[in-house]
Amino acid sequence: MGILDFLKRRPEPSAVVAKERLRIIVAQERSTRGAPDYLPLLRNELLEVIKKYVHVDIEAININVERDSGHEILELSVALPENAKPGTTAPAAG
Amino acid sequence: MTAEIIVVTSGKGGVGKTTTSASLATGLAIQGKKVAVIDFDVGLRNLDLIMGCERRVVYDFVNVVHGEATLKQALIKDKRYETLYVLAASQTRDKDALTQEGVEKVLQGLSDEGFDYVVCDSPAGIEKGAHLAMYFADHAVVVVNPEVSSVRDSDRILGLLASKTRRAEKGEDAIKQHLLLTRYNPARVAVGEMLSVKDVEDILGINVVGVIPESENVLAASNSGVPVILDENSYAGQAYSDTVARLLGEERPLRFLEVQKKGFFQRVFGG
């Protein structure tokens, strides 16, 4: 990239930033909507346990409650970092 | 109930709920419908000012709920349109003065009186008043500004409409949800300073029923107690008229989404 390109580069329009932030927070809030109140706490405690073995970020843990006819499914997914080593402090992916 | 109940709600305050309630109710009356518009903001009465009937309030919504006045006594007839009535909120009672049974009784009473539409102007927030305003609704108009906190709050409200209302609890057909984008500034959208219609639709996953441009005529209208829909020369008024037509099933393209270039005469003479 030439110096001219660098000078001409504009910051991202704030509306683009707003849209991206809203997209994420709305998706997250929808996934826990109507779910029991203890879910955020459960998520944090699970994070603590998982952290003992693998270093993951809180955003890598997804908790979902799905309602089917008559029963509920608590779904938990943890995105592990690519080169997961026990107890390492490597930054977690995604 | 034979009357269609429309709640105007948003979660966030100051986005234009009362302005919208007043204009939608007036617009429906212009179309020949018999309409009552009710202020659910107990303790913070304001719809009367926007409708221009603040000096004619004798009895209010809470009086009717508590049997201290009849519906006939409390309904304020609009001076401009024969079929338009206002039911004011109480200014002195607290928000617990409304009950679900009481609200149902009033709505049923309006239905029995032959009203076609009841517009419920919700208070801000998600507490009791807001809950009661939406509980019996058939349609919801969710007012949203192109701004992060308003968009997030409206998503929360959409969730409540789908779960905490009579239709949801009884397993009936869901409330028809309509998104109304207000205070839209095409010039700021054009330069990337404001979320666009499409941005808001994408985030919330629901299409808009109308877009009301930011307009100085809205303040002028509330200053004089005339719903802005009656200001036929203003873009905001015209956009509200379009919205009413769409709520009644008519298809109309969205207007005023582009930056308006002022013509020579407009620049010289204003407007």
Side-chain angles (χ1 to χ4, degrees), chain B residues 7 17 42 69 114 146 160 193 198 211 250 266:
Chain B
V7 60
K17 280 184 297 297
V42 175
L160 294 176
E193 291 175 359
K198 187 173 175 301
V211 178
E250 204 178 304
Q266 275 180 310

Side-chain angles (χ1 to χ4, degrees), chain A residues 41-83:
Chain A
L41 198 63
L42 177 66
R43 192 164 94 136
N44 285 343
E45 286 189 28
L46 282 170
L47 177 69
E48 291 307 310
V49 175
I50 292 167
K51 261 189 173 168
K52 283 186 189 170
Y53 304 92
V54 197
H55 187 89
V56 293
D57 200 63
I58 184 127
E59 281 169 13
I61 300 185
N62 243 319
I63 294 190
N64 247 326
V65 178
E66 284 196 18
R67 282 182 195 79
D68 229 345
S69 48
H71 62 278
E72 289 180 43
I73 302 169
L74 179 69
E75 192 182 73
L76 171 81
S77 73
V78 184
L80 293 176
E82 271 173 26
N83 48 354

